mmCIF file of all heavy atoms in Angstrom:
data_model
loop_
_atom_site.group_PDB
_atom_site.id
_atom_site.type_symbol
_atom_site.label_atom_id
_atom_site.label_comp_id
_atom_site.label_asym_id
_atom_site.label_seq_id
_atom_site.Cartn_x
_atom_site.Cartn_y
_atom_site.Cartn_z
ATOM 1 N N VAL Z 771 4.627 17.812 9.115
ATOM 2 C CA VAL Z 771 3.986 16.555 8.721
ATOM 3 C C VAL Z 771 4.108 16.391 7.213
ATOM 4 O O VAL Z 771 3.970 17.354 6.457
ATOM 5 C CB VAL Z 771 2.511 16.491 9.212
ATOM 6 C CG1 VAL Z 771 1.663 17.617 8.673
ATOM 7 C CG2 VAL Z 771 1.858 15.159 8.856
ATOM 8 N N LEU Z 772 4.414 15.171 6.779
ATOM 9 C CA LEU Z 772 4.543 14.907 5.343
ATOM 10 C C LEU Z 772 3.945 13.555 4.991
ATOM 11 O O LEU Z 772 3.806 12.675 5.848
ATOM 12 C CB LEU Z 772 6.006 14.969 4.912
ATOM 13 C CG LEU Z 772 7.003 13.967 5.503
ATOM 14 C CD1 LEU Z 772 7.018 12.649 4.742
ATOM 15 C CD2 LEU Z 772 8.408 14.553 5.476
ATOM 16 N N THR Z 773 3.604 13.404 3.700
ATOM 17 C CA THR Z 773 3.124 12.112 3.200
ATOM 18 C C THR Z 773 4.046 11.678 2.065
ATOM 19 O O THR Z 773 4.292 12.455 1.138
ATOM 20 C CB THR Z 773 1.667 12.216 2.681
ATOM 21 O OG1 THR Z 773 1.569 13.280 1.713
ATOM 22 C CG2 THR Z 773 0.700 12.526 3.811
ATOM 23 N N GLY Z 774 4.576 10.457 2.150
ATOM 24 C CA GLY Z 774 5.533 9.986 1.130
ATOM 25 C C GLY Z 774 5.108 8.670 0.505
ATOM 26 O O GLY Z 774 4.281 7.936 1.059
ATOM 27 N N GLY Z 775 5.671 8.359 -0.672
ATOM 28 C CA GLY Z 775 5.368 7.091 -1.359
ATOM 29 C C GLY Z 775 4.048 7.159 -2.107
ATOM 30 O O GLY Z 775 3.462 8.232 -2.278
ATOM 31 N N GLY Z 776 3.566 5.991 -2.534
ATOM 32 C CA GLY Z 776 2.293 5.942 -3.256
ATOM 33 C C GLY Z 776 1.168 6.426 -2.362
ATOM 34 O O GLY Z 776 1.164 6.154 -1.161
ATOM 35 N N ASP Z 777 0.214 7.157 -2.915
ATOM 36 C CA ASP Z 777 -0.865 7.655 -2.054
ATOM 37 C C ASP Z 777 -1.777 6.500 -1.628
ATOM 38 O O ASP Z 777 -1.702 5.401 -2.185
ATOM 39 C CB ASP Z 777 -1.650 8.779 -2.744
ATOM 40 C CG ASP Z 777 -2.463 8.292 -3.919
ATOM 41 O OD1 ASP Z 777 -2.144 7.211 -4.445
ATOM 42 O OD2 ASP Z 777 -3.421 8.967 -4.316
ATOM 43 N N ALA Z 778 -2.582 6.756 -0.621
ATOM 44 C CA ALA Z 778 -3.502 5.729 -0.117
ATOM 45 C C ALA Z 778 -4.695 6.445 0.509
ATOM 46 O O ALA Z 778 -4.512 7.452 1.203
ATOM 47 C CB ALA Z 778 -2.822 4.851 0.935
ATOM 48 N N PRO Z 779 -5.911 5.940 0.266
ATOM 49 C CA PRO Z 779 -7.069 6.571 0.886
ATOM 50 C C PRO Z 779 -6.928 6.532 2.416
ATOM 51 O O PRO Z 779 -6.666 5.465 2.987
ATOM 52 C CB PRO Z 779 -8.242 5.701 0.417
ATOM 53 C CG PRO Z 779 -7.736 5.023 -0.819
ATOM 54 C CD PRO Z 779 -6.266 4.799 -0.588
ATOM 55 N N GLY Z 780 -7.048 7.677 3.044
ATOM 56 C CA GLY Z 780 -6.860 7.769 4.504
ATOM 57 C C GLY Z 780 -5.775 8.780 4.852
ATOM 58 O O GLY Z 780 -5.642 9.188 6.008
ATOM 59 N N LEU Z 781 -4.995 9.212 3.840
ATOM 60 C CA LEU Z 781 -3.920 10.171 4.140
ATOM 61 C C LEU Z 781 -4.493 11.490 4.660
ATOM 62 O O LEU Z 781 -3.978 12.055 5.634
ATOM 63 C CB LEU Z 781 -3.064 10.418 2.892
ATOM 64 C CG LEU Z 781 -2.106 9.285 2.529
ATOM 65 C CD1 LEU Z 781 -1.528 9.484 1.138
ATOM 66 C CD2 LEU Z 781 -0.979 9.165 3.564
ATOM 67 N N ASN Z 782 -5.553 11.959 4.029
ATOM 68 C CA ASN Z 782 -6.127 13.235 4.491
ATOM 69 C C ASN Z 782 -6.709 13.127 5.909
ATOM 70 O O ASN Z 782 -6.448 14.016 6.735
ATOM 71 C CB ASN Z 782 -7.172 13.745 3.486
ATOM 72 C CG ASN Z 782 -6.501 14.395 2.291
ATOM 73 O OD1 ASN Z 782 -5.455 15.037 2.442
ATOM 74 N ND2 ASN Z 782 -7.075 14.228 1.112
ATOM 75 N N PRO Z 783 -7.474 12.059 6.215
ATOM 76 C CA PRO Z 783 -7.916 11.922 7.609
ATOM 77 C C PRO Z 783 -6.746 11.889 8.601
ATOM 78 O O PRO Z 783 -6.855 12.419 9.715
ATOM 79 C CB PRO Z 783 -8.672 10.585 7.616
ATOM 80 C CG PRO Z 783 -9.158 10.424 6.221
ATOM 81 C CD PRO Z 783 -8.119 11.065 5.342
ATOM 82 N N ALA Z 784 -5.627 11.277 8.201
ATOM 83 C CA ALA Z 784 -4.466 11.208 9.108
ATOM 84 C C ALA Z 784 -3.873 12.606 9.319
ATOM 85 O O ALA Z 784 -3.561 13.010 10.450
ATOM 86 C CB ALA Z 784 -3.409 10.250 8.558
ATOM 87 N N ILE Z 785 -3.742 13.375 8.221
ATOM 88 C CA ILE Z 785 -3.198 14.748 8.335
ATOM 89 C C ILE Z 785 -4.113 15.571 9.245
ATOM 90 O O ILE Z 785 -3.661 16.289 10.142
ATOM 91 C CB ILE Z 785 -3.101 15.416 6.935
ATOM 92 C CG1 ILE Z 785 -2.120 14.671 6.033
ATOM 93 C CG2 ILE Z 785 -2.726 16.896 7.055
ATOM 94 C CD1 ILE Z 785 -2.215 15.041 4.545
#
Side-chain angles (χ1 to χ4, degrees):
V771 59
L772 63 85
T773 53
D777 69 339
L781 285 168
N782 281 325
I785 296 166

